Amino acid sequence: MSLAPASTGASLFRRPAADWQFGFVLLMLAAGFLSIAVSQLALGLGLLTLLYRWVIRHEAPPVTGLEKTAALLALWALLMIPFSSNVAQSALFYRRFYLFTAIWVAASAATTEKRRLLMLAFLMAGALTTCLHDQTLHALETGSLFHGRMAGTFNAMTSGALLMMAALAGGGFLMAPGTGRKLRLALGLAMPPLLLGIVMTVTRSAQMGLVAGVGALVLAARPRLFAGFAVAGALLVTVLAFQGQHLLPASIWSRLDPKYIVGGETTELRLEMWRGGWNMVKQHPLTGVGDRGLEEISPLYYTSAFDTYFGHLHSNIVHMAAIWGLPGLLFGQAFLFAGLWLLLRRRRALLRQPGGAAATPAAAGWTLGAIAVWTGFYVAGFTEWYFGDAEPMLIYLAIMGVALGSFDRSGPPVSARSGRSG
């Protein structure tokens, strides 16, 4: 009897490396919404485990299809370091490609329906924890849910993107055939606080991404409903444009007012950033100015003077071109669009398998959710540098990895009626 604890502890450390890696991925998915330090540490441990399995155990990670485009972008960024206007900082910023390993760390862990469901559970748990914490803190500090912009664990723009991706990932499971009733109910209960959180961040890029992601989800899963969705969306925009000031809290309407969107301070600042970014491209079309903070050099390229300059250009497209040149922009866009193409191909493959997508509902849910997340991330990136924001970028890459992982059917599939797994 006295040896039982030691035996239990020994069995824990004798667990297969694949189980350890799966545990690190679960931690990464949850901590991605809570702490970038913990999530990156979990990624590092998962990566070390993956390398051990690959080199020592000869268990190679799955081929996702993103290998070539990711390698081309990483190689181009590496070759551009000597041409940067700040070589030391560009060398330091090259660490951003460490996050890309989340694709394969997550992909090689998503091997069964049960594991894929647990990965969703940890993702949603992390999102709900930070969302409810920030909402409670905001209400206590301001006395209202809609007084000013909600920020807590992260800044409002980062929080908006994270909550957007969690909501869209969960939406993929709600729309996936074969998802059990219990899981649908749990996701239905999780959606209101997540959607409320996106509203409370008053982050228009995340809100645009959410609408675009839902549209992509409807188009992929229920194409016959897309026309109705588009009409309803157009009516909602029309109503808000003319009656929004009477229907929305002042803090939200102040940022959604069409007059503010067209000529507000943040719009003018973004337009000036983009003009400055394209001036950088004109002067350095091949190499860009280098992957560096742009605060110091922005006054050389902006056409208007500002008291404060930012280290980024509030746009994935403009910023890629500015720091890596036009070839870097092409490589970056190729990496992103390769992900969408692979997800659509995976979606077709799931529909063609025996039993259709309902045969592997968790695989179908992640694929649909990732299509929605891809769309939301891409649209939100028109007006934000989310490609360079470590928190949302890590979650985006991890979701892509899970969705593009090796979807074998080892282990009992999830019951289409009860949502239980064996």
mmCIF file of all heavy atoms in Angstrom, residues 57-87:
data_model
loop_
_atom_site.group_PDB
_atom_site.id
_atom_site.type_symbol
_atom_site.label_atom_id
_atom_site.label_comp_id
_atom_site.label_asym_id
_atom_site.label_seq_id
_atom_site.Cartn_x
_atom_site.Cartn_y
_atom_site.Cartn_z
ATOM 1 N N ARG A 57 11.854 8.533 -31.838
ATOM 2 C CA ARG A 57 10.845 7.483 -32.004
ATOM 3 C C ARG A 57 10.424 7.282 -33.455
ATOM 4 O O ARG A 57 9.631 6.394 -33.750
ATOM 5 C CB ARG A 57 9.613 7.826 -31.158
ATOM 6 C CG ARG A 57 9.899 8.031 -29.666
ATOM 7 C CD ARG A 57 10.415 6.763 -29.020
ATOM 8 N NE ARG A 57 9.435 5.702 -29.138
ATOM 9 C CZ ARG A 57 8.450 5.490 -28.261
ATOM 10 N NH1 ARG A 57 8.328 6.291 -27.196
ATOM 11 N NH2 ARG A 57 7.608 4.505 -28.421
ATOM 12 N N HIS A 58 10.913 8.137 -34.360
ATOM 13 C CA HIS A 58 10.580 8.054 -35.791
ATOM 14 C C HIS A 58 9.078 8.180 -36.037
ATOM 15 O O HIS A 58 8.524 7.521 -36.920
ATOM 16 C CB HIS A 58 11.116 6.746 -36.399
ATOM 17 C CG HIS A 58 12.584 6.537 -36.182
ATOM 18 N ND1 HIS A 58 13.545 7.316 -36.818
ATOM 19 C CD2 HIS A 58 13.261 5.671 -35.383
ATOM 20 C CE1 HIS A 58 14.747 6.918 -36.433
ATOM 21 N NE2 HIS A 58 14.609 5.935 -35.550
ATOM 22 N N GLU A 59 8.441 9.037 -35.239
ATOM 23 C CA GLU A 59 7.020 9.338 -35.410
ATOM 24 C C GLU A 59 6.908 10.733 -36.017
ATOM 25 O O GLU A 59 6.808 11.733 -35.320
ATOM 26 C CB GLU A 59 6.296 9.273 -34.063
ATOM 27 C CG GLU A 59 6.364 7.899 -33.404
ATOM 28 C CD GLU A 59 5.831 7.898 -31.973
ATOM 29 O OE1 GLU A 59 5.442 8.983 -31.473
ATOM 30 O OE2 GLU A 59 5.816 6.822 -31.353
ATOM 31 N N ALA A 60 6.966 10.791 -37.332
ATOM 32 C CA ALA A 60 6.983 12.076 -38.026
ATOM 33 C C ALA A 60 5.642 12.791 -37.882
ATOM 34 O O ALA A 60 4.586 12.149 -37.875
ATOM 35 C CB ALA A 60 7.305 11.867 -39.499
ATOM 36 N N PRO A 61 5.661 14.115 -37.761
ATOM 37 C CA PRO A 61 4.399 14.861 -37.704
ATOM 38 C C PRO A 61 3.683 14.779 -39.041
ATOM 39 O O PRO A 61 4.306 14.538 -40.079
ATOM 40 C CB PRO A 61 4.855 16.296 -37.396
ATOM 41 C CG PRO A 61 6.252 16.364 -37.905
ATOM 42 C CD PRO A 61 6.830 15.002 -37.682
ATOM 43 N N PRO A 62 2.368 14.971 -39.056
ATOM 44 C CA PRO A 62 1.621 14.889 -40.316
ATOM 45 C C PRO A 62 1.980 16.032 -41.252
ATOM 46 O O PRO A 62 2.376 17.113 -40.816
ATOM 47 C CB PRO A 62 0.158 14.988 -39.862
ATOM 48 C CG PRO A 62 0.213 15.721 -38.561
ATOM 49 C CD PRO A 62 1.495 15.282 -37.907
ATOM 50 N N VAL A 63 1.855 15.769 -42.533
ATOM 51 C CA VAL A 63 2.041 16.810 -43.549
ATOM 52 C C VAL A 63 0.725 17.565 -43.684
ATOM 53 O O VAL A 63 -0.296 16.987 -44.049
ATOM 54 C CB VAL A 63 2.452 16.192 -44.897
ATOM 55 C CG1 VAL A 63 2.546 17.277 -45.969
ATOM 56 C CG2 VAL A 63 3.782 15.459 -44.763
ATOM 57 N N THR A 64 0.737 18.853 -43.390
ATOM 58 C CA THR A 64 -0.490 19.646 -43.418
ATOM 59 C C THR A 64 -0.745 20.289 -44.770
ATOM 60 O O THR A 64 -1.873 20.660 -45.068
ATOM 61 C CB THR A 64 -0.437 20.756 -42.360
ATOM 62 O OG1 THR A 64 0.605 21.681 -42.708
ATOM 63 C CG2 THR A 64 -0.174 20.184 -40.978
ATOM 64 N N GLY A 65 0.291 20.461 -45.568
ATOM 65 C CA GLY A 65 0.168 21.173 -46.828
ATOM 66 C C GLY A 65 0.679 22.600 -46.755
ATOM 67 O O GLY A 65 0.840 23.263 -47.777
ATOM 68 N N LEU A 66 0.925 23.084 -45.536
ATOM 69 C CA LEU A 66 1.409 24.459 -45.352
ATOM 70 C C LEU A 66 2.933 24.537 -45.303
ATOM 71 O O LEU A 66 3.480 25.640 -45.166
ATOM 72 C CB LEU A 66 0.841 25.050 -44.057
ATOM 73 C CG LEU A 66 -0.650 25.376 -44.074
ATOM 74 C CD1 LEU A 66 -1.125 25.780 -42.682
ATOM 75 C CD2 LEU A 66 -0.940 26.494 -45.076
ATOM 76 N N GLU A 67 3.608 23.407 -45.434
ATOM 77 C CA GLU A 67 5.056 23.376 -45.244
ATOM 78 C C GLU A 67 5.785 24.279 -46.241
ATOM 79 O O GLU A 67 6.669 25.057 -45.864
ATOM 80 C CB GLU A 67 5.568 21.932 -45.359
ATOM 81 C CG GLU A 67 5.188 21.039 -44.186
ATOM 82 C CD GLU A 67 3.749 20.582 -44.211
ATOM 83 O OE1 GLU A 67 3.097 20.717 -45.283
ATOM 84 O OE2 GLU A 67 3.271 20.076 -43.185
ATOM 85 N N LYS A 68 5.448 24.188 -47.519
ATOM 86 C CA LYS A 68 6.199 24.929 -48.537
ATOM 87 C C LYS A 68 5.991 26.433 -48.421
ATOM 88 O O LYS A 68 6.962 27.204 -48.473
ATOM 89 C CB LYS A 68 5.804 24.438 -49.929
ATOM 90 C CG LYS A 68 6.274 23.023 -50.237
ATOM 91 C CD LYS A 68 5.893 22.625 -51.653
ATOM 92 C CE LYS A 68 6.389 21.214 -51.970
ATOM 93 N NZ LYS A 68 5.998 20.781 -53.349
ATOM 94 N N THR A 69 4.746 26.867 -48.272
ATOM 95 C CA THR A 69 4.491 28.305 -48.209
ATOM 96 C C THR A 69 5.055 28.909 -46.922
ATOM 97 O O THR A 69 5.563 30.033 -46.929
ATOM 98 C CB THR A 69 2.994 28.616 -48.323
ATOM 99 O OG1 THR A 69 2.271 27.838 -47.347
ATOM 100 C CG2 THR A 69 2.477 28.275 -49.717
ATOM 101 N N ALA A 70 4.962 28.157 -45.814
ATOM 102 C CA ALA A 70 5.545 28.648 -44.562
ATOM 103 C C ALA A 70 7.060 28.750 -44.684
ATOM 104 O O ALA A 70 7.675 29.725 -44.229
ATOM 105 C CB ALA A 70 5.170 27.720 -43.407
ATOM 106 N N ALA A 71 7.695 27.748 -45.319
ATOM 107 C CA ALA A 71 9.150 27.763 -45.480
ATOM 108 C C ALA A 71 9.600 28.896 -46.387
ATOM 109 O O ALA A 71 10.619 29.555 -46.126
ATOM 110 C CB ALA A 71 9.620 26.422 -46.034
ATOM 111 N N LEU A 72 8.849 29.157 -47.444
ATOM 112 C CA LEU A 72 9.215 30.242 -48.366
ATOM 113 C C LEU A 72 9.152 31.604 -47.668
ATOM 114 O O LEU A 72 10.045 32.444 -47.840
ATOM 115 C CB LEU A 72 8.289 30.231 -49.586
ATOM 116 C CG LEU A 72 8.550 29.127 -50.613
ATOM 117 C CD1 LEU A 72 7.440 29.123 -51.670
ATOM 118 C CD2 LEU A 72 9.912 29.319 -51.281
ATOM 119 N N LEU A 73 8.092 31.827 -46.886
ATOM 120 C CA LEU A 73 7.984 33.096 -46.159
ATOM 121 C C LEU A 73 9.102 33.227 -45.134
ATOM 122 O O LEU A 73 9.739 34.285 -45.015
ATOM 123 C CB LEU A 73 6.624 33.197 -45.474
ATOM 124 C CG LEU A 73 6.400 34.445 -44.611
ATOM 125 C CD1 LEU A 73 6.542 35.711 -45.443
ATOM 126 C CD2 LEU A 73 5.032 34.397 -43.930
ATOM 127 N N ALA A 74 9.346 32.154 -44.377
ATOM 128 C CA ALA A 74 10.403 32.192 -43.360
ATOM 129 C C ALA A 74 11.772 32.400 -44.002
ATOM 130 O O ALA A 74 12.613 33.140 -43.470
ATOM 131 C CB ALA A 74 10.383 30.907 -42.538
ATOM 132 N N LEU A 75 12.016 31.750 -45.138
ATOM 133 C CA LEU A 75 13.302 31.900 -45.824
ATOM 134 C C LEU A 75 13.482 33.315 -46.347
ATOM 135 O O LEU A 75 14.568 33.900 -46.208
ATOM 136 C CB LEU A 75 13.394 30.892 -46.969
ATOM 137 C CG LEU A 75 14.674 30.952 -47.812
ATOM 138 C CD1 LEU A 75 15.905 30.704 -46.948
ATOM 139 C CD2 LEU A 75 14.602 29.954 -48.966
ATOM 140 N N TRP A 76 12.428 33.871 -46.938
ATOM 141 C CA TRP A 76 12.534 35.242 -47.455
ATOM 142 C C TRP A 76 12.794 36.226 -46.308
ATOM 143 O O TRP A 76 13.639 37.121 -46.428
ATOM 144 C CB TRP A 76 11.265 35.643 -48.194
ATOM 145 C CG TRP A 76 11.343 37.038 -48.748
ATOM 146 C CD1 TRP A 76 10.798 38.168 -48.208
ATOM 147 C CD2 TRP A 76 12.055 37.445 -49.919
ATOM 148 N NE1 TRP A 76 11.105 39.267 -48.964
ATOM 149 C CE2 TRP A 76 11.875 38.857 -50.032
ATOM 150 C CE3 TRP A 76 12.792 36.782 -50.881
ATOM 151 C CZ2 TRP A 76 12.425 39.592 -51.075
ATOM 152 C CZ3 TRP A 76 13.347 37.513 -51.925
ATOM 153 C CH2 TRP A 76 13.159 38.899 -52.012
ATOM 154 N N ALA A 77 12.072 36.069 -45.212
ATOM 155 C CA ALA A 77 12.286 36.949 -44.063
ATOM 156 C C ALA A 77 13.716 36.829 -43.542
ATOM 157 O O ALA A 77 14.328 37.826 -43.137
ATOM 158 C CB ALA A 77 11.282 36.615 -42.961
ATOM 159 N N LEU A 78 14.257 35.621 -43.556
ATOM 160 C CA LEU A 78 15.639 35.417 -43.107
ATOM 161 C C LEU A 78 16.629 36.098 -44.039
ATOM 162 O O LEU A 78 17.566 36.774 -43.594
ATOM 163 C CB LEU A 78 15.930 33.919 -43.029
ATOM 164 C CG LEU A 78 17.343 33.513 -42.571
ATOM 165 C CD1 LEU A 78 17.587 33.973 -41.133
ATOM 166 C CD2 LEU A 78 17.525 32.003 -42.688
ATOM 167 N N LEU A 79 16.404 35.963 -45.341
ATOM 168 C CA LEU A 79 17.312 36.567 -46.320
ATOM 169 C C LEU A 79 17.254 38.090 -46.286
ATOM 170 O O LEU A 79 18.231 38.761 -46.663
ATOM 171 C CB LEU A 79 16.965 36.076 -47.729
ATOM 172 C CG LEU A 79 17.204 34.586 -47.995
ATOM 173 C CD1 LEU A 79 16.706 34.211 -49.396
ATOM 174 C CD2 LEU A 79 18.680 34.234 -47.844
ATOM 175 N N MET A 80 16.132 38.650 -45.835
ATOM 176 C CA MET A 80 15.973 40.102 -45.810
ATOM 177 C C MET A 80 16.595 40.750 -44.576
ATOM 178 O O MET A 80 16.731 41.981 -44.527
ATOM 179 C CB MET A 80 14.479 40.472 -45.878
ATOM 180 C CG MET A 80 13.818 40.169 -47.218
ATOM 181 S SD MET A 80 14.639 40.998 -48.622
ATOM 182 C CE MET A 80 15.650 39.652 -49.279
ATOM 183 N N ILE A 81 16.984 39.961 -43.580
ATOM 184 C CA ILE A 81 17.538 40.546 -42.359
ATOM 185 C C ILE A 81 18.752 41.434 -42.638
ATOM 186 O O ILE A 81 18.824 42.562 -42.116
ATOM 187 C CB ILE A 81 17.873 39.435 -41.334
ATOM 188 C CG1 ILE A 81 16.576 38.811 -40.800
ATOM 189 C CG2 ILE A 81 18.695 40.004 -40.172
ATOM 190 C CD1 ILE A 81 16.797 37.660 -39.841
ATOM 191 N N PRO A 82 19.723 41.015 -43.468
ATOM 192 C CA PRO A 82 20.885 41.883 -43.709
ATOM 193 C C PRO A 82 20.541 43.201 -44.401
ATOM 194 O O PRO A 82 21.319 44.160 -44.331
ATOM 195 C CB PRO A 82 21.795 41.028 -44.604
ATOM 196 C CG PRO A 82 21.350 39.625 -44.371
ATOM 197 C CD PRO A 82 19.884 39.702 -44.109
ATOM 198 N N PHE A 83 19.389 43.265 -45.062
ATOM 199 C CA PHE A 83 18.995 44.476 -45.785
ATOM 200 C C PHE A 83 18.102 45.383 -44.951
ATOM 201 O O PHE A 83 17.655 46.428 -45.428
ATOM 202 C CB PHE A 83 18.271 44.099 -47.078
ATOM 203 C CG PHE A 83 19.081 43.242 -48.005
ATOM 204 C CD1 PHE A 83 18.909 41.863 -48.020
ATOM 205 C CD2 PHE A 83 20.030 43.813 -48.841
ATOM 206 C CE1 PHE A 83 19.663 41.069 -48.863
ATOM 207 C CE2 PHE A 83 20.787 43.020 -49.685
ATOM 208 C CZ PHE A 83 20.610 41.639 -49.696
ATOM 209 N N SER A 84 17.839 44.995 -43.709
ATOM 210 C CA SER A 84 16.948 45.771 -42.848
ATOM 211 C C SER A 84 17.598 47.091 -42.441
ATOM 212 O O SER A 84 18.825 47.205 -42.345
ATOM 213 C CB SER A 84 16.610 44.958 -41.594
ATOM 214 O OG SER A 84 15.920 45.747 -40.650
ATOM 215 N N SER A 85 16.750 48.078 -42.170
ATOM 216 C CA SER A 85 17.251 49.353 -41.646
ATOM 217 C C SER A 85 17.602 49.253 -40.174
ATOM 218 O O SER A 85 18.134 50.193 -39.592
ATOM 219 C CB SER A 85 16.205 50.460 -41.860
ATOM 220 O OG SER A 85 14.955 50.084 -41.306
ATOM 221 N N ASN A 86 17.296 48.113 -39.552
ATOM 222 C CA ASN A 86 17.712 47.820 -38.186
ATOM 223 C C ASN A 86 17.950 46.313 -38.103
ATOM 224 O O ASN A 86 17.059 45.552 -37.730
ATOM 225 C CB ASN A 86 16.655 48.272 -37.176
ATOM 226 C CG ASN A 86 17.143 48.184 -35.734
ATOM 227 O OD1 ASN A 86 17.954 47.340 -35.386
ATOM 228 N ND2 ASN A 86 16.635 49.064 -34.880
ATOM 229 N N VAL A 87 19.151 45.904 -38.456
ATOM 230 C CA VAL A 87 19.466 44.481 -38.588
ATOM 231 C C VAL A 87 19.279 43.744 -37.266
ATOM 232 O O VAL A 87 18.714 42.646 -37.227
ATOM 233 C CB VAL A 87 20.908 44.295 -39.113
ATOM 234 C CG1 VAL A 87 21.291 42.821 -39.107
ATOM 235 C CG2 VAL A 87 21.037 44.882 -40.514
#
